[in-house]
Amino acid sequence: RFMKRILIVCVNYNSYKELYDFLNSVDSSAELAWQYCRVEVFVADNSTNKQKVNTTLYSHIDIQVKFLDNVGYLGGAQAIINNIECITDYDYVIISNVDLLIHLDFILRLTSLDVDMDVAWIAPRIYSLNEKRDRNPKKIRRYTKTKLKVLLYMYRYPVLQKLYVHFFYRIKTINVPVFDQEIYAGHGSIMVFTRSFFQYYPQINYPIFLYGEELYFAELIRKVNMKVKYISSICVKDIDHISTSQMKSDFYYSCNCKAISYILQTFYDNE
């Protein structure tokens, strides 16, 4: 088996404890798979109060830190990915929050996968410690234009969105096992992209500060007739919304409005 290359771009916002825990989990997972792959980690640090990250604590991953003005989640990842000379040198590129822990066998299982060339995005099992359920598959089927307009309306009038969360979202916390399958979109907290994705899209240009990333990638992939695959054997534990919990509600609703508006205008305009 030839040596594979994995790039992990994790985005940090004032969450250094979680960052160190995340890096520890990556280092342990990389140690288990050291014969089969090389793991490089870029920390996109959006923090308001920057701290030096001690990269010498880890012996099985190569770590670099890039200090950024707060450019948002995908903005932070883009700042790294779009400046790598040949992103297709990597077998997998992972975009991740830092408020999660990857399982010990995550990297070994990932390097062992036999993935079809038309799979662009692998959505792993993301077990939420808070909700006691798998956050994936995020969306099995594509949103209709009408459903997106309803969501946009709810975010414009937050009382409607709060009612939805209170009465309906709780139903989703029942953890129903889901088989591996092709889906529309995975959850954005950790997204695993294959080399095939970057052969089509070597640059990522999502202009929205936060939210909607999953729909953006799902639409790009749909546009070139590629696939998103949910694979339950690759697992992470989600510690839940460390960065976004610091966010003011008005800003949260504003970001969601901008994201859905952008998706509608960019991908649904002629429907």
Side-chain angles (χ1 to χ4, degrees):
R1 180 157 40 169
F2 65 90
M3 186 72 77
K4 292 191 175 181
R5 290 184 70 191
I6 297 173
L7 174 67
I8 299 175
V9 181
C10 61
V11 183
N12 178 51
Y13 178 73
N14 298 338
S15 305
Y16 287 98
K17 179 194 176 298
E18 289 75 24
L19 172 62
Y20 280 111
D21 290 344
F22 173 75
L23 293 174
N24 275 327
S25 74
V26 174
D27 192 53
S28 297
S29 189
E31 181 179 8
L32 199 65
W34 69 271
Q35 292 171 289
Y36 309 115
C37 68
R38 179 182 169 202
V39 181
E40 298 165 51
V41 179
F42 256 106
V43 180
D45 196 347
N46 281 332
S47 301
T48 48
N49 300 306
K50 303 282 196 288
Q51 296 179 20
K52 187 173 177 0
V53 177
N54 186 353
T55 60
T56 64
L57 297 173
Y58 313 99
S59 52
H60 298 92
I61 52 178
D62 299 318
I63 306 176
Q64 294 185 61
V65 180
K66 186 173 178 65
F67 292 124
L68 302 166
D69 294 329
N70 190 0
V71 290
Y73 179 46
L74 202 47
Q78 287 170 184
I80 306 295
I81 290 167
N82 292 355
N83 285 292
I84 290 174
E85 189 173 341
C86 194
I87 195 69
T88 53
D89 284 349
Y90 295 96
D91 295 276
Y92 296 105
V93 176
I94 300 171
I95 298 174
S96 176
N97 285 320
V98 298
D99 54 350
L100 47 81
L101 304 170
I102 72 168
H103 278 214
L104 188 62
D105 64 359
F106 179 97
I107 292 171
L108 186 62
R109 285 182 179 272
L110 184 60
T111 56
S112 303
L113 283 180
D114 185 15
V115 182
D116 292 337
M117 291 296 290
D118 62 352
V119 174
W121 175 4
I122 294 166
R125 174 175 163 80
I126 305 173
Y127 186 74
S128 164
L129 297 177
N130 180 38
E131 295 181 6
K132 305 284 190 292
R133 71 177 182 95
D134 188 353
R135 289 185 178 275
N136 271 326
K138 169 77 172 181
K139 193 77 182 125
I140 292 175
R141 284 172 289 278
R142 186 177 188 246
Y143 281 110
T144 63
K145 189 173 186 177
T146 302
K147 179 64 186 288
L148 281 179
K149 285 184 171 179
V150 169
L151 287 173
L152 182 59
Y153 193 79
M154 285 204 303
Y155 283 117
R156 281 189 177 144
Y157 301 95
V159 66
L160 298 175
Q161 200 268 342
K162 286 173 184 171
L163 283 170
Y164 167 78
V165 169
H166 184 73
F167 288 109
F168 298 109
Y169 188 75
R170 290 179 182 184
I171 298 167
K172 294 169 70 174
T173 60
I174 301 165
N175 193 29
V176 180
V178 181
F179 56 89
D180 292 5
Q181 60 184 294
E182 185 181 340
I183 62 174
Y184 170 65
H187 195 276
S189 56
I190 181 166
M191 300 175 283
V192 181
F193 296 102
T194 67
R195 179 187 281 119
S196 297
F197 173 83
F198 289 100
Q199 285 171 341
Y200 280 100
Y201 299 108
Q203 298 272 300
I204 302 170
N205 296 298
Y206 186 59
I208 306 301
F209 186 78
L210 272 178
Y211 301 117
E213 301 91 357
E214 300 108 331
L215 303 185
Y216 171 70
F217 283 121
E219 287 298 313
L220 290 183
I221 290 165
R222 181 177 180 268
K223 197 173 175 181
V224 293
N225 296 311
M226 294 193 76
K227 294 176 182 174
V228 183
K229 189 87 184 285
Y230 168 69
I231 299 179
S232 59
S233 61
I234 301 169
C235 307
V236 304
K237 273 191 271 190
D238 194 342
I239 304 163
D240 294 315
H241 308 304
I242 297 296
S243 299
T244 52
S245 64
Q246 305 170 39
M247 188 187 302
K248 292 181 178 173
S249 61
D250 286 354
F251 187 61
Y252 166 82
Y253 292 116
S254 170
C255 285
N256 272 287
C257 278
K258 286 175 183 171
I260 295 171
S261 295
Y262 175 80
I263 297 297
L264 278 167
Q265 289 163 16
T266 308
F267 301 107
Y268 286 76
D269 202 37
N270 296 321
E271 294 182 20

